[in-house]
C-alpha cells in the first residue's frame, strides 16, 4: 500500500474521488434538507478520504470518509464510513457527562455574573470609600507639613514652637497609622466574604476541570484502533509513547483512521488510500480544492504508525534516497570568517532526523572541527542556491545579527504555476502576511493575522511563458516557508511555486523539484568593512 504521509494517488483513488465529487454535485440539486446541509459544510472546506480495499475473494471495494464531523449528522452519513469510536450517542457516557460539564459552564457563568460580581462590587465600593478617608487625611497631613516647612523657611520660630511642630508631625503620622489600621479592620468582613465567594468559584472551576479531564481520559482509553494484525490499542496507549503524551483534540477522527478501521472490521486488506481537500480553505490554511494531501503528522502519525503495522507499505517518495541523490554543494567563496556555498535542491541545510548528509555536516567534514563551521541561515530542503556558513562564534553572531536587522539583501527567483496577468496581480509589489506553524501538521505553516510573526516579501514578475510566471522575490524577513506561502496564499499572490509539494497544485504530471532558487546575496561585513555580493546561476 502507498505511504499515507508521502504519495501520489493511484488511478483508482483519483477515479473514486472524481466519482464522489460528481455525487456531491448531484446532491446540490436535492430537495432534502440534510443534503443541502451536507453540501454547505463540504463547500466550507473538508478533507475527504478514499480507500481501495480487497476482500478475501480478491474483490475490490471503495470506501469514503470525511474528517471530523458533519453538522447535524455528526459522524454518520450514508455515503461515508462511520467513526472509529462513536462517542456521540445521545444518551451514552460521553454525551451525558458532556451535558453535565455544559451545565457546570452555565452555573459558573451565572455565579460570575451574579454572586461573585455582587460581592466584588460591594467590596470595591467599601474599599473606595475607606481609601478616600485615608487619602483625605493624607492631604491634610501634606498641607500641614507644607505649612510647617514655610514657617521653618521664615526662620522666626523659637524652641517651644519648633517642639510643637515636631509633636504635631509625630501626632499626624501616628493618626495616619491608626487610620490605616481602622480601614483594614473595617475592610476585613468584606475581604473575607469576597475570599469565601472566590473560593466557591475556584472550587466550581476545579470540579469542571477534573470532570473534563476525566471525560477526556475516558474517551482516549475507550477509543481503540486496530492494525492489520487485528491487534487493538487505545489512543492513550499510542500517544503515551510520543512527546505529546496525551492525544490532541480530534485524534482518530481524520479520514485515514476511519477508513482503515472500517476495512479491518470487514476483514479487507487496504490496497491504496488518498486524502483530498474539498471546498474552500479554512482561514489561514493553504488548501486547494481537489488536490491530494498527506495525512497530518500531529494527530495521525502516531495513530497510523500503529494501524499500518502488518501491511506492506511503500517507502515515502521523499525517502532517504531522494535526500542523498543530489550533486554535492559547491563553495563559491571563503575567507577567515565565513564561506558562501551553493546548496543543491534536495539537500538539507542543517542536520535532520535521518542519516542524509546536510550542508553543515558536509562543510564540517571538509574544514574539520577547528574551523567551528555553523550555518548562519538555512534554505528549505527543496530550495537551491546561496547559503552562508560562519567560522567561529564571533562571525556567526555578527552575521546572524545582520540578518535579524535586515542588513543582508537576498534575492530569490521562482517559477509560479500560473499566469499572473490573468489573475490581475500587479507586476510588482509587497506581500505582508504574518505566519505561524501549523502545530498539528508540521512542517506546514499557516497565515495567522492574530498570532503570527510578521513576514514581508517584495516581488517583481519578469516573464510569462505558457501558463507559468517567473518572479523575483526579495524577502525582508526570513520566516519558514515564507516565499512558498506568500506565493500560494490567496491573500498573497494566489499562485503556488511550481513543484511545491506542500502548498502547490496537483498537476497530475511527474513530480518536479521546487522551482525556487536563492539567486543573490549581498551585505557589508563589519570586521573588514568590505561590501560582498554573490550570485548563483539559476538552474531552471
Amino acid at each position: 500500500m502507498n505511504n499515507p504521509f508521502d504519495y501520489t494517488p493511484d488511478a483508482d483513488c483519483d477515479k473514486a474521488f472524481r466519482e464522489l465529487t460528481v455525487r456531491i454535485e448531484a446532491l446540490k440539486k436535492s430537495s432534502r434538507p440534510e443534503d443541502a446541509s451536507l453540501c454547505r459544510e463540504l463547500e466550507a472546506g473538508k478533507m475527504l478520504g478514499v480507500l481501495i480495499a480487497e476482500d478475501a475473494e480478491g474483490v475490490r471495494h471503495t470506501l469514503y470518509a470525511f474528517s471530523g464531523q458533519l453538522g447535524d449528522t455528526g459522524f454518520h452519513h450514508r455515503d461515508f464510513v462511520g467513526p472509529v469510536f462513536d462517542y456521540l450517542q445521545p444518551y451514552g457516557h460521553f454525551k451525558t457527562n458532556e451535558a453535565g460539564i455544559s451545565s457546570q459552564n452555565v452555573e459558573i457563568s451565572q455565579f460570575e455574573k451574579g454572586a461573585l460580581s455582587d460581592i466584588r462590587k460591594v467590596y470595591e465600593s467599601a474599599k473606595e470609600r475607606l481609601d478616600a478617608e485615608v487619602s483625605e487625611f493624607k492631604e491634610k497631613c501634606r498641607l500641614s507639613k507644607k505649612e510647617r516647612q514655610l514657617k521653618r523657611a521664615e526662620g522666626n520660630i523659637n524652641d517651644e514652637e519648633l517642639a510643637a511642630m515636631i509633636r504635631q508631625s509625630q501626632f499626624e503620622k501616628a493618626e495616619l497609622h491608626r487610620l490605616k489600621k481602622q480601614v483594614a479592620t473595617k475592610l476585613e468582613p468584606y475581604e473575607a466574604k469576597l475570599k469565601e465567594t472566590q473560593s466557591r468559584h475556584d472550587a466550581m472551576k476545579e470540579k469542571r476541570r477534573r470532570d473534563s479531564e476525566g471525560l477526556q481520559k475516558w474517551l482516549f482509553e475507550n477509543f481503540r484502533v486496530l492494525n492489520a494484525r487485528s491487534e487493538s490499542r487505545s489512543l492513550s496507549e499510542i500517544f503515551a509513547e510520543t512527546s505529546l503524551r496525551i492525544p490532541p483534540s480530534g485524534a482518530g477522527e481524520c479520514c485515514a483512521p476511519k477508513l482503515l478501521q472500517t476495512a479491518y472490521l470487514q476483514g479487507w486488506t487496504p490496497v491504496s488510500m488518498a486524502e483530498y481537500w474539498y471546498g474552500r480553505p479554512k482561514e489561514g490554511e493553504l488548501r486547494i480544492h481537489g488536490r491530494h494531501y498527506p495525512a497530518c503528522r500531529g494527530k495521525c502519525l502516531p495513530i497510523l504508525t500503529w494501524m499500518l503495522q502488518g501491511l506492506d507499505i511503500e517507502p515515502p517518495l521523499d525517502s532517504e534516497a531522494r535526500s542523498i541523490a543530489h550533486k554535492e554543494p559547491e563553495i563559491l567563496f571563503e575567507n577567515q570568517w565565513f564561506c558562501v556555498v551553493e546548496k543543491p535542491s534536495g539537500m538539507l541545510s542543517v542536520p535532520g532526523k535521518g542519516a542524509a548528509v546536510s550542508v553543515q555536516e558536509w562543510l564540517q567534514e571538509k574544514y574539520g572541527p577547528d574551523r567551528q563551521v555553523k550555518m548562519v541561515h538555512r534554505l528549505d530542503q527543496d530550495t537551491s542556491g546561496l547559503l552562508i556558513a560562519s567560522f567561529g562564534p564571533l562571525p556567526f553572531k555578527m552575521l546572524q545579527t545582520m540578518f535579524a536587522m535586515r542588513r543582508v539583501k537576498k534575492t530569490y527567483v521562482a517559477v509560479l504555476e500560473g499566469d499572473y496577468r490573468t489573475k490581475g496581480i500587479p507586476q510588482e509589489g509587497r506581500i505582508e502576511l504574518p505566519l505561524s506553524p501549523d502545530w498539528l501538521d508540521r512542517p506546514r505553516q499557516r497565515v495567522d493575522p492574530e498570532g503570527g510573526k510578521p513576514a514581508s516579501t517584495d516581488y517583481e514578475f519578469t516573464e510569462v511563458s505558457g501558463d507559468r510566471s517567473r518572479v523575483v522575490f526579495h524577502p525582508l524577513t526570513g520566516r519558514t516557508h515564507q516565499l512558498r506561502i506568500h506565493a500560494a496564499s490567496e491573500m498573497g499572490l494566489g499562485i503556488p511555486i511550481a513543484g511545491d509539494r506542500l502548498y502547490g497544485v496537483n498537476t497530475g504530471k511527474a513530480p518536479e523539484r521546487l522551482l525556487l532558487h536563492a539567486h543573490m546575496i549581498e551585505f557589508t561585513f563589519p570586521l573588514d568593512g568590505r561590501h560582498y555580493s554573490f550570485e548563483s546561476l539559476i538552474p531552471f
Side-chain angles (χ1 to χ4, degrees), residues 4-72:
F5 297 101
D6 195 358
Y7 66 95
T8 298
D10 65 13
D12 289 341
C13 283
D14 272 341
K15 179 184 177 184
F17 178 70
R18 287 195 300 271
E19 291 172 349
L20 176 63
T21 58
V22 170
R23 292 210 297 275
I24 293 172
E25 288 299 314
L27 286 177
K28 293 179 181 178
K29 303 173 184 177
S30 169
S31 59
R32 291 159 48 104
E34 59 268 34
D35 291 337
S37 175
L38 170 71
C39 292
R40 280 196 303 271
E41 284 220 40
L42 291 178
E43 287 178 345
K46 203 71 169 171
M47 196 70 78
L48 303 179
V50 177
L51 176 71
I52 310 297
E54 199 171 84
D55 64 23
E57 306 299 323
V59 178
R60 292 199 167 188
H61 305 268
T62 302
L63 300 173
Y64 297 103
F66 54 81
S67 61
Q69 304 173 31
L70 275 176
D72 298 335

Side-chain angles (χ1 to χ4, degrees), residues 235-248 297-299 301-303 353 439-440 442:
L235 293 187
S236 294
E237 293 171 318
I238 289 172
F239 279 88
E241 299 173 358
T242 70
S243 59
L244 293 175
R245 309 298 296 171
I246 298 173
R297 292 184 173 271
K299 297 178 184 180
L301 181 58
I303 297 173
K353 294 181 180 179
W439 295 110
L440 292 177
R442 300 297 297 273

Side-chain angles (χ1 to χ4, degrees), residues 108 112 201-210:
I108 290 170
E112 289 170 344
H201 180 245
D202 292 343
M204 294 166 71
K205 290 173 68 176
E206 175 61 20
K207 182 179 185 304
R208 180 182 62 182
R209 185 194 64 80
R210 289 196 308 268

